[in-house]
């Protein structure tokens, strides 16, 4: 209860989110699956940013929400892939989206590093209202935001009636192995028949999950103390310095570089090349590990994702090798 109250006062102050709206979890990834597989079930149609974190699509596939994988276009049937590319400023043209029951949206986005603006998110909330959709908003990188982009979907008027938000301590405090996160299900969010979504999710959590460990929760409370928040911000600023080194490296070589400003990821374009080929080239010739963009969906083809999570010496060494490879 104390952790829920502290999360509410730290991240949702003055936004009308109360501790009773917050469900503490063992991480955002676990709740993505609980939402997809247990709350929504196999009958819903989902939409997802393309490219995006693979767990959204994979959870949908496991649940049986999708059609078969279509090898020629690298997509599963019956999923609405919302293309997010430089040409549309990494925000989908919602007028082209067919009816979707659930919209997964991550901002700042993994892998592109792009954060949606207030205007864009207002547009998304209105779209969900007009179409009877529920937005599942992944804010796992919100503390990396440097500009005035919203840090939570609940900064947008009306979002409490259409959105669930998932977040975690993994990217702020290195809790990836400790496992601690939270999901916000506002009491104002109702199914079409008027039943509160939070009541269903509460039943699921009580049935399938015995709660985050006391040790992890104690760590979470420490992170949200004044000293903890200061330490988390210092850690995030360190990774943002790493990000700048990576951005400067690829920019100096003439590549189109995206992300890096509001997220720990840098999204680098290699026009006309397959991302797996670029990944293999950098791995074999520079001995540096990146992530091929097509692993995040067909919209990631010809990109690689470069992560800023690492020791400074390793980041500098990687930058040196990449400069030698592409000079």
């Amino acid at each position: 209860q104390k952790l829920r109250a502290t999360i509410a006062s730290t991240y949702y102050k003055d936004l009308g989110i109360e501790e009773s709206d917050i469900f503490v979890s063992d991480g955002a990834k676990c709740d993505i699956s609980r939402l997809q597989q247990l709350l929504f079930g196999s009958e819903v149609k989902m939409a997802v940013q393309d490219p995006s974190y693979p767990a959204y699509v994979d959870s949908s596939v496991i649940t049986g929400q999708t059609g078969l994988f279509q090898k020629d276009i690298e997509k599963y049937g019956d999923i609405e892939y919302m293309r997010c590319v430089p040409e549309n400023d990494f925000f989908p043209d919602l007028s082209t989206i067919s009816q979707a029951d659930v919209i997964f949206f991550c901002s700042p986005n993994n892998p592109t590093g792009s954060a949606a603006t207030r205007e864009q998110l207002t547009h998304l909330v209105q779209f969900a209202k007009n179409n009877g959709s529920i937005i599942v908003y992944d804010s796992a990188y919100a503390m990396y935001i440097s500009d005035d982009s919203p840090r939570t979907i609940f900064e947008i008027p009306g979002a409490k009636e259409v959105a669930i938000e998932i977040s975690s301590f993994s990217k702020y405090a290195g809790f990836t192995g400790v496992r601690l996160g939270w999901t916000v299900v506002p009491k104002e969010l109702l199914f079409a028949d008027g039943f509160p979504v939070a009541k269903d999710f509460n039943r699921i959590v009580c049935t399938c999950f015995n709660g985050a460990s006391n040790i992890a929760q104690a760590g979470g409370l420490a992170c949200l103390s004044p000293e903890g928040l200061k330490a988390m911000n210092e850690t995030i600023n360190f990774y943002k310095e790493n990000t700048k080194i990576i951005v400067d490296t690829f920019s100096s070589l003439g590549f189109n570089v995206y992300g890096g400003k509001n997220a720990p990821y840098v999204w680098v374009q290699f026009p006309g090349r397959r991302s797996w080929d670029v990944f293999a080239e950098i791995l074999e010739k520079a001995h540096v590990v990146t992530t091929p963009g097509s692993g995040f969906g067909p919209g990631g083809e010809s990109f690689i994702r470069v992560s800023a999570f690492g020791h400074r010496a390793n980041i500098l060494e990687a930058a040196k090798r990449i400069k030698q490879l592409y000079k």
Side-chain angles (χ1 to χ4, degrees), residues 197-223:
V197 175
K199 284 194 174 180
D200 268 8
F201 193 59
N202 185 63
R203 181 69 266 158
I204 288 164
V205 169
C206 292
T207 304
C208 305
F209 179 50
N210 278 343
S213 78
N214 292 343
I215 298 166
Q217 290 193 52
L221 279 168
C223 287

Side-chain angles (χ1 to χ4, degrees), residues 1-312:
Q1 189 175 356
K2 189 177 179 188
L3 181 57
R4 289 159 67 191
T6 309
I7 289 169
S9 62
T10 304
Y11 292 114
Y12 305 101
K13 191 175 171 61
D14 302 326
L15 295 176
I17 297 294
E18 300 166 9
E19 67 177 81
S20 57
D21 299 322
I22 292 170
F23 295 81
V24 172
S25 73
D26 51 342
K29 189 176 192 178
C30 307
D31 268 359
I32 288 165
S33 292
R34 289 186 193 108
L35 289 167
Q36 279 287 71
Q37 296 169 10
L38 300 171
L39 182 67
F40 299 133
S42 60
E43 299 302 309
V44 302
K45 171 84 181 282
M46 66 98 73
V48 65
Q49 285 161 298
D50 176 32
S52 69
Y53 182 48
Y56 312 140
V57 169
D58 291 349
S59 290
S60 185
V61 172
I62 290 167
T63 311
Q65 291 173 359
T66 70
L68 296 174
F69 185 67
Q70 299 162 318
K71 186 75 180 123
D72 54 332
I73 55 172
E74 299 283 321
K75 293 180 180 179
Y76 285 92
D78 298 332
I79 289 187
E80 187 73 49
Y81 287 81
M82 305 185 296
R83 200 163 179 81
C84 296
V85 289
E87 291 73 33
N88 63 13
D89 199 25
F90 298 104
F91 189 82
D93 178 1
L94 297 174
S95 69
T96 66
I97 307 302
S98 65
Q99 174 61 38
D101 301 304
V102 180
I103 302 168
F104 270 86
F105 199 90
C106 178
S107 179
N109 177 268
N110 175 13
T112 67
S114 175
T117 66
R118 195 166 302 277
E119 184 183 8
Q120 288 171 335
L121 290 179
T122 300
H123 190 36
L124 181 66
V125 166
Q126 195 56 53
F127 178 83
K129 281 193 169 178
N130 294 345
N131 290 276
S133 308
I134 291 178
I135 300 163
V136 178
Y137 189 82
D138 186 343
S139 66
Y141 301 94
M143 282 181 75
Y144 284 83
I145 289 175
S146 309
D147 57 23
D148 60 356
S149 302
R151 284 173 161 73
T152 164
I153 190 74
F154 301 120
E155 289 182 36
I156 308 302
K160 289 199 287 292
E161 293 152 39
V162 294
I164 292 168
E165 181 164 299
I166 48 177
S167 198
S168 93
F169 286 92
S170 288
K171 306 304 186 293
Y172 304 161
F175 270 40
T176 313
V178 177
R179 306 311 306 156
L180 188 67
W182 67 91
T183 292
V184 184
V185 189
K187 62 186 76 58
E188 293 88 342
L189 180 64
L190 308 175
F191 287 114
D193 65 0
F195 192 81
V197 175
K199 284 194 174 180
D200 268 8
F201 193 59
N202 185 63
R203 181 69 266 158
I204 288 164
V205 169
C206 292
T207 304
C208 305
F209 179 50
N210 278 343
S213 78
N214 292 343
I215 298 166
Q217 290 193 52
L221 279 168
C223 287
L224 297 177
S225 69
E227 300 87 349
L229 287 165
K230 181 171 178 282
M232 284 199 293
N233 279 311
E234 286 170 357
T235 300
I236 287 163
N237 287 332
F238 174 82
Y239 288 131
K240 286 168 92 163
E241 289 168 8
N242 282 353
T243 309
K244 187 176 186 308
I245 293 166
I246 297 165
V247 168
D248 290 349
T249 298
F250 282 100
S251 297
S252 71
L253 295 165
F255 290 101
N256 290 329
V257 182
Y258 305 96
K261 182 182 177 188
N262 292 316
Y265 300 124
V266 182
W267 192 234
V268 188
Q269 190 170 24
F270 289 74
R273 297 194 60 190
R274 291 181 61 82
S275 52
W276 275 102
D277 294 341
V278 176
F279 160 80
E281 177 177 85
I282 295 173
L283 178 64
E284 290 164 10
K285 295 183 177 174
H287 305 292
V288 173
V289 178
T290 61
T291 309
S294 60
F296 299 95
E301 189 58 273
S302 84
F303 290 86
I304 59 164
R305 190 195 75 174
V306 188
S307 170
F309 291 124
H311 298 291
R312 180 63 50 79

